[in-house]
Amino acid sequence: MTYDQGTFYIIHVLAIIILSGLTFVAFANPVEAQRRKVLMASGISSLLAVIAGFGLSGSFKYGFPGWMIVKLVCWLGLSVMAGIAYRKPQKIPALAGITIALLIIALYMVYFQRFSGVGTNWRRRAKARPTPQTNAGGIGLRHCGWQPNPSPKMKPITAAGN
Ligand code: HEM
């Protein structure tokens, strides 16, 4: 894992956490007095999340795989939620449910369901990904021995990379 990739990871995940938090601030208290500050901060964190996401994709040479297109749709949905909450506070319960669903789908995509798509070469990346056996540094749950249940579509990664 290069320093750049580590930095992109931190920015990406932190920005997603802040964006989600601010969205729930808008859900909890959609008052006009806070609207401008919350929307500005959520806009900035939304931008940072997507820039770092593409940064990661570029550094891993993923191209534009299907799972990332799904994540992009989730990110877009998450990014507009706070604005809708201020405009239509009566819809907040439904918006909260949709937001949680979007987050679950995005996390499921990155941890369990990477499917191919346009210009994908995640298989080469997966082969190159350090496994607990090789333990070649890096961040993320997988590097502390956690292994996701291999989805039927994902070929389990072996130390030999087959
Ligand atoms: C709601 C939206 C999103 C959520 C919740 C989310 C969450 C995450 C998380 C938690 C990781 C770290 C995975 C790990 O520990 O290895 C990650 C990695 C990543 N995300 Fe996102 N993300 C979102 C949107 C996006 C978007 C819009 C893009 C692309 C523009 C993107 C591209 C990536 C890439 C390329 C990685 C690296 C995957 C790898 O480790 O091989 N994500 N994302």
Side-chain angles (χ1 to χ4, degrees), residues 129-153:
R129 171 184 284 278
T131 61
Q133 290 82 14
T134 59
N135 208 7
I139 53 177
L141 294 171
R142 291 178 197 77
H143 303 292
C144 50
W146 180 81
Q147 280 294 335
N149 305 331
S151 84
K153 286 196 194 131

Side-chain angles (χ1 to χ4, degrees), residues 118-137:
V118 189
T120 183
N121 54 9
W122 67 265
R123 270 201 184 80
R124 197 178 326 130
R125 158 82 183 99
K127 278 191 180 161
R129 171 184 284 278
T131 61
Q133 290 82 14
T134 59
N135 208 7

Side-chain angles (χ1 to χ4, degrees), residues 41-126:
S42 63
I44 294 166
S45 48
S46 166
L47 199 60
L48 286 174
V50 79
I51 291 172
F54 278 117
L56 281 166
S57 165
S59 71
F60 292 138
K61 299 187 177 37
Y62 280 148
F64 207 46
W67 61 273
M68 242 173 71
I69 298 171
V70 174
K71 288 187 79 182
L72 210 55
V73 173
C74 294
W75 164 82
L76 210 57
L78 181 63
S79 303
V80 298
M81 283 299 165
I84 303 174
Y86 283 109
R87 277 200 306 279
K88 300 193 167 100
Q90 72 282 9
K91 295 233 188 300
I92 287 175
L95 295 176
I98 297 168
T99 303
I100 292 168
L102 289 173
L103 286 170
I104 292 172
I105 293 168
L107 291 171
Y108 183 77
M109 284 295 134
V110 80
Y111 285 118
F112 287 98
Q113 196 60 28
R114 297 193 190 187
F115 59 94
S116 62
V118 189
T120 183
N121 54 9
W122 67 265
R123 270 201 184 80
R124 197 178 326 130
R125 158 82 183 99

